[in-house]
Amino acid sequence: MRASDNRRIDGRRLWDGLMAMAEIGATPKGGVRRLALSDVDRRGRARFREWCEAAGLAVRVDAMGNMFARREGRDPARLPVLFGSHLDSQPSGGKFDGALGVLAGLEVIRTLNEMGLVTEAPLELVNWTDEEGSRFGHSLMGSGVWAGVYAPAATEALVDAEGVSVSAALDAIGARGPEPAAAFPADAYFELHIEQGPILEREGCAIGIVTGGQAQIWYDAVATGQESHAGTTPPEARRDALLCAARVIELVDRMMRARGEHGRGTVGELHVSPNSRNVIPGEVRFSVEFRHPDEAEVTRIAAQFPREAGFVARDCGVALELRELFRIPAQPFDAECIALVRQAAMRLGYSSREIVSGAGHDAVYVARRVPAAMIFTPCKDGLSHNEAESIAPHEAEAGCQVLFEAVLARANRR
Ligand SMILES: [Zn+2]
């Protein structure tokens, strides 16, 4: 029997930590507003550092403000096992998105301290800078630069709505550290996060074993018809750009549903011109995005969608211009790391299922450099990016216990 077999993390202490962090940037409706690199973020970081140092961790910070809090292992030759998430939030975000993974990581450390257990490999608890992207328009910023997905200089030049650059914001709150913002060798990365969707709750599962992130394809679309008088233009003379957009939206939905449970297709943004009730719309600009865990499906969509959208536009007498913005490849997580999460959930007797991450997460970029896996916990009504985002203490505890077991198993593996 291993020393860890009887050891439980302290669910109460984890919950108290979550509630204490949620006071920083607390909103009247019970949520959190802790925008990346804001003064509120500075306070969150300071409290995190305080807690880490009190737990005996040595905190390093890189040039993007990513924080790494290290606990030495027994074997100096071993690479560190990383785990964590992010402390920034949406403008009207919840208490748990990101914070759960960071605070659960701290609870893992505190539990090991109490056990007096030194792992073979060193451990590093991570707080990634600006996961949400709501201030500078660029999600997964810190982990993206770290993983080499984004160029540091271009990222630092991004500005918020007030014209403040990432670079200036890093300096303004003293978040810039001396370490280069670049991947370093690590043994693994684990991230606990709320699901932000309804699947685990619907199926009564305590733990989601996340197998990877989905492939995505994004388009900008412009439908150009002809503005004309709503009252005088007969049906055959109409070239209605909004009708075309509406039919393309219907096409996106149809293509999504044809792919069953894993299909995703969304038109979330629409700009109608001239947007007047008695003018037939002459131009509509809109967004289109598709996602699927299987990259081959996204490749098929990339071939099918422009062609079928073209037929729709022709039937409407409208010109449709489609610009593919980018494709993000599917990112499968590491089989061994996934297995550790699965084994932990099984050993602890938690109901679990495999799940693909619908949202982007730091782990998806980190996985390009380091073997990675994620653990999801259910959240109430699948709600997130919302002040009403909610989880139960026992759900946080279960996720943290699985994180503890997975990290310990990896750090002590032969
Ligand atoms: Zn998050």
Side-chain angles (χ1 to χ4, degrees):
M1 192 157 147
R2 298 196 315 261
S4 64
D5 284 357
N6 298 319
R7 293 313 303 230
R8 306 287 303 187
I9 61 99
D10 184 338
R12 183 60 205 256
R13 182 170 55 191
L14 167 62
W15 193 256
D16 289 347
L18 283 163
M19 294 305 114
M21 184 53 79
E23 285 167 10
I24 300 175
T27 60
K29 284 186 192 159
V32 164
R33 180 187 174 88
R34 203 161 48 232
L35 292 180
L37 304 179
S38 64
D39 193 61
V40 180
D41 189 21
R42 179 187 61 74
R43 285 161 48 212
R45 288 163 176 270
R47 182 161 301 179
F48 174 62
R49 177 188 277 272
E50 215 173 90
W51 285 338
C52 287
E53 289 176 348
L57 304 179
V59 181
R60 331 192 282 289
V61 183
D62 75 14
M64 284 302 299
N66 296 317
M67 301 172 78
F68 302 88
R70 183 175 171 104
R71 186 178 194 266
E72 292 301 339
R74 201 196 53 79
D75 182 352
R78 295 273 288 255
L79 295 176
V81 173
L82 313 182
F83 47 100
S85 194
H86 60 96
L87 288 173
D88 71 312
S89 83
Q90 288 284 327
S92 44
K95 298 187 191 77
F96 306 101
D97 175 355
L100 175 63
V102 176
L103 273 296
L106 188 64
E107 179 54 34
V108 167
I109 300 283
R110 287 170 169 171
T111 303
L112 289 171
N113 287 351
E114 279 181 357
M115 290 167 68
L117 200 148
V118 178
T119 50
E120 290 296 311
L123 305 178
E124 292 197 5
L125 169 57
V126 192
N127 171 33
W128 299 108
T129 296
D130 195 359
E131 189 273 351
E132 298 289 0
S134 42
R135 181 172 175 195
F136 300 101
H138 209 309
S139 60
L140 309 176
M141 193 168 80
S143 55
V145 170
W146 187 85
V149 182
Y150 306 134
T155 306
E156 283 200 31
L158 295 169
V159 291
D160 69 6
E162 272 80 54
V164 178
S165 68
V166 169
S167 177
L170 278 164
D171 291 331
I173 67 158
R176 189 198 298 274
E179 306 272 325
F184 50 80
D187 182 57
Y189 175 72
F190 292 95
E191 181 167 350
L192 169 65
H193 205 281
I194 58 170
E195 180 199 344
Q196 305 182 279
I199 295 170
L200 296 177
E201 183 182 57
R202 199 177 62 202
E203 299 190 2
C205 282
I207 296 294
I209 302 157
V210 190
T211 54
Q214 20 186 23
Q216 305 184 27
I217 184 164
W218 292 27
Y219 297 94
D220 270 346
V222 185
T224 309
Q226 188 168 49
E227 286 172 27
S228 58
H229 196 294
T232 62
T233 314
E236 75 277 5
R238 289 180 176 238
R239 293 170 54 211
D240 185 336
L242 183 56
L243 179 69
C244 170
R247 289 183 179 167
V248 172
I249 293 170
E250 206 280 329
L251 169 68
V252 169
D253 187 67
R254 194 154 22 92
M255 286 179 57
M256 168 184 79
R257 286 174 197 282
R259 287 167 169 82
E261 187 199 5
H262 292 303
R264 301 286 186 275
T266 305
V267 175
E269 195 182 342
L270 205 66
H271 301 276
V272 181
S273 173
N275 210 21
S276 164
R277 70 164 61 210
N278 52 19
V279 180
I280 295 166
E283 184 188 89
V284 178
R285 294 177 174 270
F286 59 106
S287 64
V288 177
E289 64 139 87
F290 292 96
R291 307 186 191 204
H292 200 283
D294 180 357
E295 197 150 340
E297 281 300 335
V298 168
T299 305
R300 277 192 276 278
I301 286 167
Q304 182 193 355
F305 173 65
R307 190 178 66 235
E308 293 201 12
F311 296 150
V312 167
R314 199 188 56 195
D315 287 349
C316 297
V318 167
L320 179 68
E321 188 194 321
L322 273 184
R323 192 162 67 87
E324 185 183 318
L325 291 183
F326 54 78
R327 279 186 222 191
I328 300 176
Q331 178 64 61
F333 286 146
D334 178 75
E336 285 180 37
C337 292
I338 295 169
L340 290 177
V341 172
R342 184 186 299 111
Q343 285 155 18
M346 279 176 62
R347 208 175 69 72
L348 293 160
Y350 295 131
S351 56
S352 64
R353 61 160 278 166
E354 290 195 351
I355 188 167
V356 172
S357 174
H361 286 292
D362 293 311
V364 174
Y365 280 158
V366 175
R368 295 191 185 192
R369 295 310 186 108
V370 174
M374 287 187 81
I375 304 156
F376 277 176
T377 56
C379 54
K380 192 167 184 300
D381 303 325
L383 205 60
S384 179
H385 288 188
N386 189 310
E387 290 167 277
E389 177 189 282
S390 170
I391 64 173
H394 72 271
E395 292 169 330
E397 185 177 339
C400 183
Q401 191 69 46
V402 171
L403 177 70
F404 177 84
E405 300 284 335
V407 164
L408 202 58
R410 182 74 181 192
N412 285 338
R413 75 185 170 136
R414 293 186 192 281

